[in-house]
Amino acid sequence: MTMGITQQIIMIAMVVLGTMLTRFVPFLVFPSGKQTPKYIQYLGKVLPPAVFGLLVVYCLKDVRLFSGSHGIAECIGVTTVVLLHIWKKNMFFSIAGGTIVYMLLVQLIF
Amino acid sequence: MHENKAALHINSFKTQNPMNKRNQIWMAFRTAFPYTVPIFAGFAFLGMAYGILMNSLGFSAIYPILISLVVFAGSMEFVAANLLVGAFNPINALFLTLMVNARHLFYGISMLEKYQEAGKKKWYMIFGLCDESFAINRSIDVPNHVDKSWVMFFVTLLNHCYWVLGAALGGIFGSFIKFNTEGLDFVMTALFVVIFLDQWMKEKNHISSLIGLGASIVCLIIFGGSHFIIPTMIAILGLLTLSRKSLEKAEVKTI
């Protein structure tokens, strides 16, 4: 550890400040008392599905298709989640099933 | 229309007596808890991985505990661990954080209306608006007789507790854990896949879902894993702005 405790606290404070800025800015710029612009209201309505898509890709961003196991375990894992969910529509069942299949694959096969 | 109903509903709580209010809060907790169970698995694992990492870098358990308490942004804490062992450069740390966490801006914009009804609780809920709190709070179906803002509050609070708990366990007992947890982090991927799928089956057109998926994949291929979020956000904004007319027309038709 090269930093002193004061320097460490300053670094963490910066991370807190950065994180809080990204979370609070929308609420501070568009406070509850004032009419939110129509364009922002529109974004609030249509952004979530796109962001859910982004989050799925974000989770899989480190998968290497051209080396290692070629993402086969991830592909089977996601497919399992999708099939289980279409079949039973039970969130916990789909998540647990997919995760167990994935863990078995990476621990025993790949 | 739906929003109006929710607002009326919450107003009716305020006129009830304290005993009923306590029941309402308890009911909200019981509604929120099951939705957070997958997060418990994921955060216990990721939090532990984080605690173990900090431990291996030479930090005592108090570091991961305090940092996970005040930051509560999973991926950023792993980055912060590296920042702490690097050179002292606060401005760099601030900008790196803004870049990594820029996606939260979209969460805020999407939650403006839903969080506004929450009164003072709203400030804590914004503080705890991580990927998982957003995904659950935005997609959760709360029965009409349960106070939605308390449910969203408890989802945030429980997630926060799991994360700190995981980090504490990892920081304290990290070096003793023998259970093979390889692959357990897939629980987060599975959670987001389920939420994406639920949204997909619910929505009348898939324009926004497809824009999100397509833009992310294209930007990931072009910019690579560590730099694709901000280009993706810009692409999503651009494409959603361009399709505003058709999306709003579709909305009017369905009403």
Side-chain angles (χ1 to χ4, degrees):
Chain A
M1 274 180 270
T2 46
M3 278 181 231
I5 183 86
T6 320
Q7 288 184 322
Q8 287 178 345
I9 291 173
I10 294 172
M11 289 295 272
I12 296 302
M14 285 298 153
V15 176
V16 174
L17 177 68
T19 306
M20 288 307 118
L21 275 176
T22 59
R23 287 186 187 164
F24 277 92
V25 158
F27 293 91
L28 298 177
V29 175
F30 309 109
S32 46
K34 271 198 291 189
Q35 179 73 26
T36 309
K38 281 271 182 301
Y39 175 62
I40 299 297
Q41 285 184 17
Y42 162 74
L43 284 181
K45 249 185 233 140
V46 296
L47 268 178
V51 176
F52 295 152
L54 167 65
L55 282 170
V56 170
V57 176
Y58 179 72
C59 281
L60 297 168
K61 70 184 189 321
D62 297 317
V63 174
R64 295 279 157 271
L65 289 180
F66 305 108
S67 58
S69 62
H70 306 279
I72 296 169
E74 284 77 10
C75 194
I76 297 175
V78 169
T79 310
T80 310
V81 175
V82 172
L83 292 179
L84 288 180
H85 202 64
I86 291 172
W87 179 35
K88 288 273 187 187
K89 286 206 172 111
N90 179 324
M91 181 184 182
F92 317 108
F93 180 67
S94 321
I95 292 176
T99 305
I100 291 167
V101 166
Y102 179 80
M103 285 178 78
L104 290 174
L105 285 174
V106 293
Q107 289 185 13
L108 303 177
I109 299 175
F110 295 107
Chain B
M1 187 61 202
H2 194 78
E3 260 77 14
N4 277 341
K5 227 188 266 168
L8 275 177
H9 198 60
I10 281 162
N11 281 335
S12 68
F13 286 128
K14 288 181 181 153
T15 53
Q16 286 166 4
N17 64 43
M19 193 58 211
N20 264 341
K21 189 166 184 215
R22 206 173 302 161
N23 278 343
Q24 282 297 338
I25 294 173
W26 174 235
M27 203 136 74
F29 178 85
R30 285 199 325 209
T31 309
F33 178 72
Y35 286 90
T36 68
V37 171
I39 314 283
F40 174 74
F43 274 10
F45 170 75
L46 284 175
M48 256 193 269
Y50 170 65
I52 294 169
L53 171 74
M54 289 296 280
N55 190 330
S56 70
L57 291 173
F59 294 99
S60 65
I62 193 73
Y63 279 86
I65 294 171
L66 286 181
I67 294 173
S68 55
L69 201 63
V70 294
V71 180
F72 190 34
S75 50
M76 192 54 222
E77 286 172 40
F78 286 92
V79 179
N82 288 320
L83 285 175
L84 281 178
V85 291
F88 177 68
N89 189 340
I91 300 300
N92 180 41
L94 178 63
F95 277 98
L96 189 63
T97 311
L98 290 174
M99 300 268 282
V100 172
N101 287 336
R103 64 188 185 284
H104 295 150
L105 291 170
F106 280 8
Y107 304 167
I109 292 174
S110 309
M111 296 312 270
L112 279 172
E113 278 182 31
K114 284 183 187 276
Y115 277 13
Q116 254 148 23
E117 297 159 358
K120 279 192 192 128
K121 296 193 293 301
K122 151 175 128 176
W123 301 111
Y124 173 73
M125 286 152 61
I126 300 169
F127 163 83
L129 192 54
C130 63
D131 300 332
E132 292 76 12
S133 303
F134 164 73
I136 294 191
N137 282 342
R138 181 68 212 201
S139 57
I140 194 169
D141 262 328
V142 179
N144 263 341
H145 60 281
V146 182
D147 185 336
K148 188 159 187 184
S149 62
W150 275 106
V151 173
M152 296 191 293
F153 172 81
F154 281 122
V155 166
T156 312
L157 181 67
L158 284 166
N159 288 347
H160 196 189
C161 292
Y162 302 153
W163 180 250
V164 176
L165 187 75
L169 289 176
I172 298 167
F173 303 110
S175 40
F176 304 110
I177 293 166
K178 291 282 181 279
F179 169 61
N180 188 353
T181 53
E182 194 195 348
L184 185 56
D185 54 337
F186 191 77
V187 76
M188 287 302 158
T189 313
L191 170 78
F192 293 133
V193 169
V194 163
I195 286 173
F196 180 81
L197 205 58
D198 270 336
Q199 170 71 35
W200 182 277
M201 295 191 281
K202 225 173 6 188
E203 65 198 7
K204 301 229 163 50
N205 70 69
H206 303 306
I207 297 174
S208 179
S209 294
L210 289 173
I211 285 176
L213 219 48
S216 310
I217 292 171
V218 170
C219 289
L220 179 62
I221 293 168
I222 299 174
F223 298 98
S226 35
H227 298 108
F228 85 106
I229 297 267
I230 295 197
T232 305
M233 288 174 63
I234 295 170
I236 288 175
L237 269 187
L239 289 168
L240 284 178
T241 307
L242 286 176
S243 37
R244 184 173 177 185
K245 280 226 170 81
S246 51
L247 275 172
E248 279 184 338
K249 218 182 275 167
E251 183 114 330
V252 169
K253 257 186 212 157
T254 58
I255 290 171

